Amino acid sequence: MPTQPDLATLRRHAVARSLFAPTTLLAAVQRLGGFVQADPLRAPARAQDLTLRHRVKGYRAGDLERRYPRLPLQEDFFINYGFVTPELRALMHPRTTRRVWDAARWRLAEAVLAEVERLGEAHPADVDAALGHGPVKNWFGGNSRLSTELLDGLHYRGRLDVVRRDSGTRVYRLAQAWEAHPEPQTAMDALADALVQKYAPLPANSLSLVIRMLFHGAHQWRDLAATTIARAKSRLAHARVDGVDWYWPADEDPARGWRIPSQVRLLAPFDPVVWDRRRFELLWGWPYRFEAYTPAAKRVRGHYALPLLWRDQVIGWANAGVRGGQLQVDCGYVSGRAPRDAAFRAALDEEITRLAVFLGVAR
């Protein structure tokens, strides 16, 4: 019978199950629930690359984008935007949307689809040049091209695939026709299981939150959220620790003796180990916040502070950047100072070297 875990056990479980031994890119994505979150900021690399570098053998910054046209992955929404496996994507489509297009907007969209079909692989600039839709106000108040907005909307609706990016811009082709899943609740259960695979162990409030966030990826089944949460809780392993209910896959034992290497890791702000800020504070006792969009004068830890994991403890953060072709890393610590033991200093030096190799720069 599994041992009742304590918080230290859950912390080791959270770190070890997510930071598995490096493997192939596809195997790593599958181990991460079939989804890797993407973010356009590069400080010092994009979040998807910073996430995969710990989990893919020999990974270098930009490998996912370079290899993407040959990989069975697609850019799409899940609970946020990123890269998903075909199996996960098929659970979410055909997808309805929160914003319903009227007949006039659909006529414009159909013209875009016809132009994408004509081109085969369509860059937004080529679609815009052919159709001349002109500018439009986007959702955050700026200006964009109507053709680009329509392409984005058609991609979200599952009518287009992203075949590659040209200098960061998505290039599209027509998507396959989607077959509706015959059992919506079964699909929602599978989507919930993917979230648990990626983020477990999860406190009860976080489990409910991420399942409700499936509103973004499977809007058509938003009314099944409460049932899906209850079903997930009934089939997952569970323990109450320090007054908080925690959940994880039923076939895992948090107390089995998970191996934690004496290693420093600088994690992406969206890395599965640190993504859930509620869980982060429960496990490590201090609040980590992503401050890239915080005014500079109000930042506490930096524009793109990378959580600093030492063994199974997140003890601080680092701001990393490349200046003059050389990596520079500045660290801060929750306690106010770095651990004094030589093992930590050596492990931090090794991690900075790994980061430089990953970025292809000197240190």
Side-chain angles (χ1 to χ4, degrees):
M1 182 176 180
T3 303
Q4 176 75 6
D6 57 15
L7 201 59
T9 300
L10 291 175
R11 185 165 51 241
R12 288 192 297 272
H13 182 213
V15 172
R17 71 180 304 279
S18 182
L19 290 168
F20 44 82
T23 182
T24 65
L25 199 160
L26 279 178
V29 175
Q30 289 163 349
R31 289 283 297 270
L32 293 171
F35 170 70
V36 175
Q37 183 174 344
D39 188 82
L41 294 181
R42 191 179 343 218
R46 294 187 178 96
Q48 55 268 36
D49 291 324
L50 291 167
T51 296
L52 290 170
R53 81 176 183 95
H54 295 291
R55 298 167 173 93
V56 178
K57 293 178 182 176
Y59 192 87
R60 300 291 181 266
D63 276 356
L64 178 58
E65 185 171 329
R66 283 188 289 270
R67 295 179 56 188
Y68 175 84
R70 303 186 301 279
L71 292 170
L73 297 174
Q74 261 295 316
E75 294 192 30
D76 204 346
F77 265 91
F78 182 31
I79 59 170
N80 36 45
Y81 194 79
F83 298 83
V84 299
T85 60
E87 297 80 9
L88 189 62
R89 195 178 187 218
L91 293 169
M92 298 185 287
H93 289 283
R95 171 191 287 157
T96 63
T97 63
R98 186 176 183 177
R99 181 186 177 189
V100 178
W101 284 350
D102 60 18
R105 178 56 62 101
W106 268 113
R107 284 193 292 273
L108 294 171
E110 292 294 345
V112 169
L113 288 171
E115 185 61 19
V116 173
E117 182 175 25
R118 185 187 73 81
L119 293 169
E121 295 185 355
H123 189 286
D126 296 329
V127 175
D128 189 65
L131 300 179
H133 283 151
V136 67
K137 288 288 184 184
N138 54 40
W139 66 272
F140 52 86
N143 290 318
S144 61
R145 309 300 293 179
L146 176 57
S147 297
T148 298
E149 185 175 288
L150 290 167
L151 287 164
D152 288 347
L154 288 164
H155 175 229
Y156 179 79
R157 288 163 173 79
R159 301 292 298 274
L160 297 174
D161 291 340
V162 175
V163 293
R164 67 178 185 280
R165 284 185 179 247
D166 285 351
S167 300
T169 300
R170 287 177 288 199
V171 176
Y172 299 94
R173 69 182 171 207
L174 294 184
Q176 64 181 8
W178 295 100
E179 293 288 335
H181 199 284
E183 297 288 343
Q185 186 60 68
T186 301
M188 281 291 283
D189 290 343
L191 292 169
D193 285 345
L195 290 168
V196 173
Q197 172 62 27
K198 187 174 182 69
Y199 296 118
L202 281 163
N205 287 345
S206 296
L207 177 64
S208 297
L209 173 65
V210 294
I211 291 175
R212 291 192 182 281
M213 287 177 71
L214 288 171
F215 173 92
H216 299 290
H219 180 266
Q220 66 275 20
W221 297 325
R222 60 197 179 280
D223 294 337
L224 295 177
T227 303
T228 304
I229 291 166
R231 288 166 63 91
K233 289 181 176 179
S234 71
R235 69 177 177 274
L236 295 171
H238 161 258
R240 190 167 181 83
V241 179
D242 297 343
V244 177
D245 291 309
W246 290 80
Y247 294 88
W248 60 88
D251 60 353
E252 293 183 8
D253 178 5
R256 77 172 198 185
W258 298 81
R259 179 179 174 273
I260 305 292
S262 293
Q263 189 172 342
V264 167
R265 299 179 192 262
L266 300 179
L267 303 175
F270 309 116
D271 191 281
V273 173
V274 300
W275 178 85
D276 177 14
R277 306 304 190 233
R278 178 187 290 110
R279 187 184 84 157
F280 184 102
E281 195 159 353
L282 288 170
L283 292 180
W284 289 292
W286 60 279
Y288 168 75
R289 300 290 182 267
F290 181 56
E291 299 179 324
Y293 302 108
T294 300
K298 295 183 178 181
R299 290 174 189 152
V300 176
R301 298 185 175 92
H303 167 258
Y304 203 84
L306 307 173
L308 192 160
L309 178 71
W310 166 229
R311 296 174 176 152
D312 66 347
Q313 295 283 350
V314 182
I315 63 170
W317 61 93
N319 287 280
V322 179
R323 299 176 184 88
Q326 187 168 6
L327 177 63
Q328 297 184 12
V329 178
D330 298 314
C331 298
Y333 299 93
V334 178
S335 69
R337 60 179 176 81
R340 292 178 176 175
D341 59 293
F344 171 77
R345 292 194 297 272
L348 177 60
D349 187 70
E350 290 169 0
E351 171 67 344
I352 293 172
T353 296
R354 286 192 296 268
L355 183 60
V357 172
F358 156 80
L359 294 169
V361 299
R363 61 151 302 187

